[in-house]
Amino acid sequence: MQYKTLLIEKTGRVIVVTLNRPDKLNAVSRELRTEFLQVLGESEEDDQVGVTIVTGAGKAFCAGADISEFGIGEPDWRKKQTASLNAVKQIYEFPKPIIGAINGVAAGDGSQWVLAFDLNIASEKAKFAWPATRLGLL
């Protein structure tokens, strides 16, 4: 299947999922989150998939939530927060191993995802942050 915000590469029993919004530092949009969870669902059902590796295109792993979407379609920010937390729960409960290949900044949602993965390998360029606290979003 073709995705707008992800690159998928399957080799043997390994599927590599690349967050592919490098112009937005791979910020999690509704579309990216939906596509990512769809890939997880398909991978869970596929007996040929043994492990999932997640990385980011460009210089970032994931800069967090796409704040350009704040206030669009969801008047209550708590609904957006709930969708984000539900995604992390699905990642955490995924029955097959997920490995994070952290190639740059992992902030906000990106850091939450990293915490939910089973194993992470970080490059020397990796940085982890929780900017929501400075923005007063928590």
Side-chain angles (χ1 to χ4, degrees), residues 9-91:
E9 181 181 337
K10 187 175 176 190
T11 305
R13 294 181 46 80
V14 177
I15 185 167
V16 178
V17 179
T18 302
L19 310 179
N20 191 32
R21 298 184 72 215
D23 56 317
K24 297 276 191 174
L25 300 178
N26 303 313
V28 179
S29 63
R30 287 183 188 98
E31 183 175 38
L32 185 141
R33 181 176 50 244
T34 299
E35 289 183 354
F36 184 75
L37 294 177
Q38 183 175 350
V39 168
L40 287 186
E42 292 168 0
S43 296
E44 182 175 353
E45 298 297 320
D46 186 346
D47 292 335
Q48 298 304 310
V49 173
V51 65
T52 301
I53 298 173
V54 183
T55 192
K59 63 183 180 180
F61 172 73
C62 176
D66 186 344
I67 62 173
S68 70
E69 290 186 346
F70 282 18
I72 298 172
E74 294 175 354
D76 185 352
W77 69 271
R78 287 177 190 89
K79 289 182 183 177
K80 194 270 178 226
Q81 193 71 2
T82 299
S84 177
L85 292 174
N86 286 339
V88 171
K89 183 178 183 216
Q90 286 183 262
I91 294 166

